[in-house]
Amino acid sequence: MKKGMIIAIDGPAGVGKSTVCKLLAKHLGYAYLDTGAMYRAMAWSAIAENLNLDDESEIARRLELLPLRFTIENGALSIFYKEKRLDDELRQPEISVRASHISQLKCVRDYLTRCQRQLGERGGIVAEGRDMTTVVFPDAPVRVYLTADLKARTERRFLEYRNKGIAADRAGLEAQIKARDEADEQRALAPLRATPGVRVVDTSHMNISEVVTQLMVLIPLETAEKDASIRG
Ligand code: DC
């Protein structure tokens, strides 16, 4: 991966951040940092280690000792629990709920913020999550808030689950996304929101490539041209 700037992107569940950010990163030759996966991994490994997710002091005590490792490999975040690479297991609906829960704990947010900044030190990353533009990388030269209405997001998540063979129904998913929106937007720490100075892009009626094109427009021309030419 080459050097470059940090592109910070936030937005609610199901807005299509992962797909868009992966493509954007590939286009620029940057690494893709999925910080939601880090919260999911934290929830997954806390369960694997039999931690009580309701006991913040226990989690705070054992957090840094969890056998969890975050690294950037081949242009994307890799997460290991011991020797096991965590991937599809993090996408289970139960982990979504647990991750939302654990993401409200200060000790977890502080720890993952440190890990994310460390991963971003080298530059050249597209970092997506809920607090990339507000807390983790507030000085990033490109900060974007992606949004879409609830119906569009439910449909996107439904198709994603169906493609992965995960059973889901639309009404249940909509309720789950709505509940997560509320939890993400109303939590005391690092709530999800578009702060002044952040570019808001409503993707409700856009397809993936339209969103990527729109984001490329926001990236300083000099960098985009330089990066594209380095890529050859
Ligand atoms: O983007 P996601 O659905 O994979 O995120 C999983 C959970 O983690 C979600 O409930 C919000 C939380 N999260 C967060 O609080 N801060 C981030 N930077 C990324 C995700």
Side-chain angles (χ1 to χ4, degrees):
M1 278 302 110
K2 62 180 182 283
K3 277 192 130 7
M5 66 169 128
I6 292 176
I7 297 176
I9 300 187
D10 287 326
V15 76
K17 292 188 300 291
S18 324
T19 313
V20 163
C21 293
K22 248 181 242 168
L23 280 172
L24 185 64
K26 194 164 173 220
H27 204 70
L28 292 167
Y30 281 16
Y32 163 59
L33 183 62
D34 172 4
T35 61
M38 297 170 82
Y39 284 91
R40 288 169 181 271
M42 196 54 86
W44 189 92
S45 58
I47 293 168
E49 296 279 316
N50 287 319
L51 299 195
N52 177 356
L53 295 184
D54 293 319
D55 183 346
E56 184 166 5
S57 65
E58 181 180 39
I59 293 187
R61 234 181 13 258
R62 302 207 19 215
L63 183 69
E64 301 198 24
L65 302 173
L66 288 175
L68 200 55
R69 191 162 54 87
F70 303 112
T71 156
I72 300 249
E73 282 180 356
N74 302 322
L77 173 71
S78 286
I79 305 178
F80 290 91
Y81 171 78
K82 299 179 182 164
E83 297 309 313
K84 177 183 168 63
R85 182 195 291 273
L86 300 182
D87 201 344
D88 284 347
E89 50 276 83
L90 300 181
R91 301 290 143 195
Q92 294 297 328
E94 191 210 338
I95 298 298
S96 301
V97 175
R98 303 292 190 134
S100 176
H101 183 86
I102 209 170
S103 72
Q104 298 181 34
L105 304 180
K106 180 169 169 24
C107 60
V108 172
R109 298 211 73 84
D110 287 350
Y111 176 63
L112 289 184
T113 293
R114 279 203 306 280
C115 296
Q116 289 153 11
R117 287 186 179 145
Q118 237 166 39
L119 292 167
E121 260 168 14
R122 45 192 274 147
I125 61 162
V126 177
E128 62 110 324
R130 303 294 192 286
D131 61 346
M132 296 300 101
T133 62
T134 52
V135 174
V136 182
F137 302 117
D139 301 322
V142 177
R143 294 185 305 144
V144 177
Y145 185 89
L146 288 182
T147 184
D149 61 41
L150 184 60
K151 283 267 177 276
R153 290 187 287 129
T154 302
E155 193 58 23
R156 288 171 191 172
R157 194 43 59 95
F158 177 76
L159 294 176
E160 181 194 329
Y161 279 0
R162 204 179 58 180
N163 288 341
K164 288 187 172 156
I166 299 175
D169 70 285
R170 285 187 174 83
L173 270 182
E174 183 173 316
Q176 212 178 75
I177 291 178
K178 196 157 178 269
R180 285 178 60 203
D181 280 357
E182 280 165 17
D184 290 344
E185 287 164 7
Q186 289 166 18
R187 69 180 176 219
L189 296 169
L192 171 67
R193 61 167 173 231
T195 45
V198 169
R199 289 296 292 260
V200 178
V201 177
D202 185 341
T203 72
S204 303
H205 305 290
M206 292 165 102
N207 65 31
I208 300 291
S209 67
E210 286 168 335
V211 182
V212 174
T213 304
Q214 170 114 30
L215 294 184
M216 285 300 290
V217 171
L218 301 177
I219 296 170
L221 195 57
E222 194 185 274
T223 311
E225 279 175 357
K226 196 174 67 199
D227 291 348
S229 71
I230 294 170
R231 267 190 323 118

